[in-house]
Amino acid sequence: MRDGIYLATDVYRPATDEPVPVLLARSPYNKDALSLHLYLIPDPLRLAQEGYAVVVQDCRGCFASEGQFQPYTREGTDTVDTINWIRAQPWANGMVGMIGGSYLGLIQWLTLAESPNVVQAVAPFVTADQPYTPWTYQGGAFQLGFLLYWMLGFYIVPELQRRVVQRKARLIDISNAIHALDQIENRYQRIPLVAVPEIAQLAPFYQDWLAHPQFDRFWQTVAPAIDYNRVTIPVLNIGGWYDIFLGGTLRSYQALRQHGGNEIARRPGLIIGPWSHGVWHGYFPEHNFGTFSSTDACDLNGLQLRWFDYWLKGSENGLRDDKPVKLFVMGINQWREEDDWPLPNTTYRKLYLHSGGNANTLHGDGLLTWEPPGDEPPDQYCYDPRDPTPTCGGATLFPGALSAVNAGPRDQRQVELRPDVLVYSSPPLEQPLEVIGPVRLVLFVASSAHDTDFTGKLVDVFPDGRAIILTDGILRARYRSDPPALLNPGTVYELNIDLVATATTFLPGHRIRLEVASSNFPRFDRHTNTGGTIATETEADWMVAMNRVFHDRDRPSHLILPVINRKAG
């Protein structure tokens, strides 16, 4: 690198002496662990057989590479230096693309932020275009479940193993870190949030993330936002409906469509399947999406190869004649090709909340209809941070998620029995309803606290009663505006909660359901209801909040669904 640090790098080459195009993957997860990387990059051997040199590199400070790992901050410059090295090699013909998912995908965006056109094509997979949201925060809430798991399991333990080899740590240190990972449920409960001794010394940047809940100068410095106007290369965006970074994948596609620096950049590709982060087969313990749902069935590696063949080899493979968007539609379990995202033939329809003031639990009187409410009493519930509403599937990434046990389409009925969960359901549908696109929840709320959270879940209720989550979101109330502002207790506010997106067909006999609560723990950190600094507060600071949701003529809380009319389209 430009500062003299060496990064450990493997090269897979096809059996030819001719210069070939190169695909680069930079990873913090050990370049030698191919069994892990097959989750995150196409098989290097297959790529080499198809005529590419494949470069797989340990990030700075990771495994065999020198230096100190500092997430995000050096990835752009290190990638540029690596690409300059690649182009100087006799086996490289000058055409370079980048591959990889999760942090490997984020590196691609950080590289484009550093030098927008240093490569000829990229294919970021299940990732975001910057590390603030939804990587670290979503709706102002800290991604506790993912980040604590990521730090302990994917950084702290490997870093200690590296330090033992260097005689800078002891075997007992590794044992203690593994024990902390094994007891991570207890670590999620630990307060204050900054008090994680296993992380404090080895990963001080974790404390920095907690100390900066807003997109302030800290985030702008460690990872500048992409200037999409400067990007002039083709980008293939790949994500999953239950992926923790889905919002970032869709944001990247739309930003390129609107602001890309030329016609090529403004025609990105988009592929979204029924996957969670690390589960690529579409089969989950409580629901599955059929044989065609897997990445193997749709040949995701082949789709990426086709992308790079066109842009790096100049192959006339018909790519430019394809529709740019490929989506798996749940419910009917079919792949669809579309002209854009959101779909051009989208009608945004409002489903209004109704009740007689008793929407609490699955057995309450909450109702969803297309008709606006009249004079109806509000619903209310008590949110106590000592007993937060638990996470149950969805776009999660913490222990059990990679094996599909704790992620994706889980049944919500157990959560819906809690009195701090409001449940609103439509009557059974008589006709199929196709819902594809961004989902938003507008709530009129009041709280006894100066600040609190509101969450929403979109759920597909089957005729047998199963309540399968489709998508969800959260908003920390102070972030309803910019700059943030605390609540005046008892005052009614309008909140717009991003429920990200989905693609599903609600079938006849099914019902559409909305859940409203004030926590989703440990996926997100629990709100303390004080209006203070959550990361440093202890249980002695916590307050109970009485939260109300209004749905009347003047304050019509509603769910906004992207409905597709195929006949009209």
Side-chain angles (χ1 to χ4, degrees):
M1 301 297 103
R2 64 191 66 180
D3 61 352
I5 291 293
Y6 283 87
L7 302 188
T9 307
D10 288 343
V11 180
Y12 300 79
R13 290 174 50 199
T16 177
D17 293 327
E18 296 296 320
V20 295
V22 179
L23 294 175
L24 168 64
R26 302 190 58 251
S27 170
Y29 302 129
N30 190 356
K31 63 180 176 56
D32 298 326
L34 280 183
S35 59
L36 169 64
H37 281 118
L38 289 181
Y39 279 94
L40 300 174
I41 62 175
D43 183 356
L45 299 180
R46 178 179 177 181
L47 297 177
Q49 289 170 342
E50 295 291 340
Y52 292 92
V54 183
V55 176
V56 184
Q57 182 180 81
D58 285 337
C59 288
R60 175 183 294 254
C62 296
F63 296 91
S65 285
E66 297 177 352
Q68 181 64 41
F69 181 62
Q70 183 76 18
Y72 324 132
T73 57
R74 295 298 296 265
E75 304 300 3
T77 54
D78 283 353
T79 305
V80 170
D81 291 350
T82 300
I83 291 170
N84 289 336
W85 174 82
I86 288 171
R87 289 207 167 101
Q89 305 309 307
W91 39 263
N93 70 1
M95 301 296 286
V96 180
M98 292 186 71
I99 54 175
S102 197
Y103 193 87
L104 289 72
L106 177 60
I107 288 175
Q108 297 175 53
W109 288 115
L110 296 176
T111 300
L112 296 186
E114 176 72 21
S115 181
N117 305 300
V118 69
V119 290
Q120 280 68 55
V122 295
F125 174 41
V126 292
T127 192
D129 58 350
Q130 45 87 1
Y132 172 68
T133 183
W135 193 278
T136 309
Y137 288 89
Q138 183 173 327
F142 186 67
Q143 291 268 24
L144 177 65
F146 154 56
L147 291 169
L148 190 55
Y149 177 46
W150 185 42
M151 282 294 96
L152 284 173
F154 293 90
Y155 176 67
I156 298 297
V157 172
E159 175 62 14
L160 285 171
Q161 292 171 335
R162 198 167 82 117
R163 293 191 182 197
V164 166
V165 173
Q166 299 169 342
R167 298 186 179 181
K168 295 179 180 179
R170 302 168 299 164
L171 288 174
I172 189 63
D173 298 324
I174 298 177
S175 177
N176 290 338
I178 293 174
H179 177 73
L181 180 62
D182 190 52
Q183 300 294 319
I184 196 168
E185 292 295 335
N186 293 333
R187 297 306 187 275
Y188 286 141
Q189 298 287 341
R190 178 173 290 177
I191 52 169
L193 293 180
V194 295
V196 186
E198 296 86 3
I199 289 180
Q201 290 186 341
L202 295 180
F205 41 80
Y206 184 84
Q207 314 296 329
D208 293 334
W209 301 342
L210 284 166
H212 295 273
Q214 296 176 247
F215 188 67
D216 56 14
R217 181 175 293 275
F218 167 78
W219 291 108
Q220 296 164 18
T221 300
V222 300
I226 301 291
D227 183 355
Y228 285 96
N229 289 293
R230 297 174 60 211
V231 177
T232 58
I233 66 166
V235 179
L236 176 60
N237 303 272
I238 308 170
W241 295 125
Y242 292 98
D243 183 67
I244 190 173
F245 306 127
L246 174 63
T249 299
L250 297 173
R251 179 178 63 217
S252 303
Y253 172 85
Q254 290 180 272
L256 285 167
R257 286 283 291 156
Q258 297 169 12
H259 306 296
N262 62 5
E263 189 274 335
I264 290 175
R266 290 191 296 273
R267 198 177 189 277
L270 179 66
I271 302 172
I272 309 290
W275 314 310
S276 65
H277 203 86
V279 180
W280 315 134
H281 45 64
Y283 282 79
F284 297 84
E286 296 179 359
H287 188 72
N288 76 76
F289 297 104
T291 303
F292 293 105
S293 64
S294 72
T295 54
D296 288 338
C298 71
D299 192 14
L300 186 61
N301 287 348
L303 292 173
Q304 294 178 77
L305 266 170
R306 191 161 183 257
W307 180 263
F308 288 114
D309 284 350
Y310 184 86
W311 293 111
L312 301 186
K313 291 183 177 181
S315 299
E316 292 300 330
N317 56 17
L319 178 78
R320 294 286 276 177
D321 298 326
D322 292 350
K323 291 188 176 183
V325 176
K326 296 178 177 61
L327 308 174
F328 187 92
V329 180
M330 300 176 287
I332 58 173
N333 295 345
Q334 294 179 5
W335 285 95
R336 289 262 178 80
E337 295 189 355
E338 304 290 352
D339 294 315
D340 201 0
W341 175 274
L343 277 58
N345 53 338
T346 303
T347 300
Y348 293 93
R349 298 189 62 187
K350 296 179 180 179
L351 259 180
Y352 292 93
L353 282 61
H354 300 268
S355 83
N358 297 293
N360 310 71
T361 81
L362 170 63
H363 305 297
D365 63 356
L367 182 66
L368 288 177
T369 78
W370 304 111
E371 301 299 323
D375 295 326
E376 300 179 5
D379 295 300
Q380 66 178 12
Y381 58 91
C382 177
Y383 161 58
D384 186 347
R386 295 168 182 81
D387 182 25
T389 307
T391 299
C392 182
T396 59
L397 180 52
F398 49 79
L402 297 180
S403 61
V405 172
N406 212 356
R410 293 194 61 190
D411 190 341
Q412 302 298 300
R413 283 178 291 183
Q414 193 64 37
V415 174
E416 292 170 351
L417 293 175
R418 293 176 57 100
D420 58 356
V421 178
L422 304 180
V423 180
Y424 304 89
S425 305
S426 74
L429 297 175
E430 297 181 0
Q431 301 292 331
L433 184 71
E434 190 169 358
V435 174
I436 302 177
V439 181
R440 191 157 55 92
L441 175 61
V442 178
L443 290 181
F444 291 88
V445 303
S447 178
S448 63
H450 288 286
D451 193 23
T452 192
D453 287 342
F454 285 90
T455 67
K457 291 182 185 176
L458 177 64
V459 175
D460 183 358
V461 182
F462 284 63
D464 62 7
R466 284 176 296 143
I468 301 300
I469 184 174
L470 294 169
T471 188
D472 63 0
I474 190 170
L475 179 63
R476 190 144 289 172
R478 73 177 75 176
Y479 297 111
R480 70 192 182 279
S481 60
D482 187 15
L486 295 179
L487 302 173
N488 182 19
T491 299
V492 179
Y493 296 90
E494 179 179 345
L495 303 184
N496 284 269
I497 304 175
D498 182 8
L499 302 192
V500 194
T502 193
T504 193
T505 297
F506 290 94
L507 298 175
H510 288 228
R511 289 178 289 159
I512 304 168
R513 177 169 292 169
L514 170 70
E515 296 176 21
V516 176
S518 285
S519 57
N520 185 349
F521 179 82
R523 180 181 170 192
F524 302 108
D525 64 328
R526 65 187 118 190
H527 206 300
T528 59
N529 299 321
T530 66
T533 303
I534 294 173
T536 59
E537 290 180 328
T538 67
E539 187 171 354
D541 301 304
W542 292 355
M543 299 175 61
V544 174
M546 184 61 69
N547 294 335
R548 291 184 289 167
V549 175
F550 295 81
H551 42 81
D552 53 47
R553 185 175 289 104
D554 297 324
R555 295 164 295 192
S557 295
H558 56 275
L559 182 66
I560 302 177
L561 294 182
V563 176
I564 308 302
N565 187 336
R566 292 287 169 182
K567 294 180 180 178

